[in-house]
Amino acid sequence: MKIANGMEFVNDDRVIGKWENIGWISGINSFSVTDLNDKSGEYNILYFLPNGEPYWIFEGWTKGVILINYGGDDPILSYRYDLRDIDGKQYLFFRLDDKTEVFVKADSEHYTKATLGNHDNIDLPFVSDKKLIGAWDSVAFVSETEDFSPENKYDDLFLKSMKILPDGDLIQTYMDSEWHDKWTKGYILNLHRTTAAKYQITEINGTEYLFMEWKMGNYIYGGMKPDYYVFKRKI
C-alpha cells in the first residue's frame, strides 16, 4: 500500500495511538528523556492512525518515518522517528532538522480522523446578538487579544471576511472557498470542524473590532490553545 510521496506503507503496531510531548533536545541522535528543554509548542500531541492514515498536517506515516506538509505548495517532508522503552514507559523521538521532540505514549487506541482531537458542543440554542450582525473584514491574526494593534498591518490572511446574518447563519470567505456555518450569542459555530469559537467585540479608538478564537488544526489535533482572528466592521 502506497502513502504520500509514493512511499510504501510498513506497519508498526508499537507506534499506533496517542503520544504526548514532554520536551525537546538538541541534535537528532539522542535518546535522553532527562534534562529536556521545555515544550516548544510546535507539536503537543501526535496521533498515529492505523494504516498510515493522514490527518491535519500529517500526511501519513510508515515504519520509522513521519510525513508532514505545512500547507499550500510546500513539499511533503519526511522525518525519522525512533522508539525506546525506558523505565517501563514508551518514548518516541521525533527527529526534526536540528532537534528532537520527545513524546511519551498516552494510549494505544486505534483512532480515526472522526474520533481524534478536540471537538466542542455546537448544539447550542440560537440567541441573537445585534452587535454582531453585519459584515466584518479580517485585519489581523494574533496569539493573544492584547497583541493586536490597529497600526500593524497583516498581509495574506487566510480568512478574509465574515457575513453575520440575523437568523443565525453566517458566511466565512477564505482565500479559495466559502464556508456556511452558524452562530449564536457568544460563539461562532464551525459545522465542518465541530468547534464553538468564542468571540468578543471591543471598541478601540472609536472603532469596533471583533476578536474570534481560531479553532482549527492546531487546536483540534495539536492540543494547542487557539489564536485569534481580528475583524473590523465593514462600512
Side-chain angles (χ1 to χ4, degrees):
M1 183 177 72
K2 299 288 186 182
I3 59 172
N5 276 2
M7 297 185 70
E8 192 72 32
F9 175 69
V10 178
N11 193 32
D12 184 355
D13 283 333
R14 300 173 304 160
V15 82
I16 293 174
K18 178 180 178 181
W19 298 81
E20 296 178 347
N21 190 288
I22 59 171
W24 64 276
I25 46 179
S26 297
I28 58 171
N29 294 306
S30 174
F31 287 95
S32 174
V33 295
T34 60
D35 298 323
L36 299 177
N37 296 290
D38 291 340
K39 292 191 292 184
S40 66
E42 293 180 63
Y43 308 96
N44 284 349
I45 296 173
L46 285 181
Y47 294 93
F48 285 78
L49 309 186
N51 300 315
E53 185 180 5
Y55 76 96
W56 186 31
I57 63 172
F58 298 99
E59 292 291 333
W61 64 273
T62 186
K63 189 172 184 177
V65 177
I66 302 172
L67 301 173
I68 294 182
N69 175 259
Y70 291 105
D73 296 325
D74 288 354
I76 297 175
L77 304 175
S78 299
Y79 293 107
R80 176 169 58 94
Y81 74 80
D82 296 301
L83 301 177
R84 284 291 187 276
D85 291 334
I86 302 174
D87 295 331
K89 294 182 179 181
Q90 287 182 292
Y91 292 91
L92 182 144
F93 298 85
F94 180 20
R95 313 298 190 181
L96 296 168
D97 293 329
D98 57 0
K99 68 176 182 177
T100 297
E101 295 277 356
V102 183
F103 295 79
V104 64
K105 195 161 198 185
D107 63 51
S108 298
E109 293 289 327
H110 282 220
Y111 291 94
T112 67
K113 283 189 285 190
T115 60
L116 63 79
N118 294 319
H119 296 279
D120 302 326
N121 175 25
I122 62 171
D123 187 20
L124 302 176
F126 175 64
V127 178
S128 186
D129 182 356
K130 291 182 179 179
K131 291 183 66 177
L132 181 65
I133 294 169
W136 300 83
D137 288 329
S138 64
V139 295
F141 184 75
V142 294
S143 296
E144 304 287 349
T145 56
E146 54 266 29
D147 294 338
F148 173 67
S149 171
E151 285 73 38
N152 293 340
K153 302 298 181 184
Y154 298 81
D155 297 324
D156 299 324
L157 294 171
F158 178 58
L159 175 54
K160 296 298 185 183
S161 64
M162 287 201 302
K163 186 175 182 181
I164 311 295
L165 304 177
D167 61 357
D169 289 336
L170 68 87
I171 302 170
Q172 297 187 76
T173 301
Y174 293 84
M175 279 185 173
D176 54 3
S177 62
E178 277 190 356
W179 287 15
H180 292 254
D181 290 304
K182 298 288 186 180
W183 68 275
T184 187
K185 188 172 185 178
Y187 295 95
I188 303 297
L189 306 176
N190 190 313
L191 307 182
H192 302 75
R193 305 293 185 183
T194 323
T195 58
K198 293 180 181 179
Y199 71 81
Q200 65 184 59
I201 297 172
T202 302
E203 186 173 304
I204 302 175
N205 298 329
T207 300
E208 280 188 320
Y209 292 94
L210 167 65
F211 292 81
M212 181 189 75
E213 290 180 328
W214 182 240
K215 288 187 169 182
M216 298 295 274
N218 285 4
Y219 168 81
I220 298 170
Y221 302 120
M224 304 176 193
K225 68 179 186 61
D227 297 306
Y228 292 86
Y229 258 97
V230 186
F231 301 82
K232 182 178 178 180
R233 188 181 293 279
K234 191 171 185 176
I235 300 174

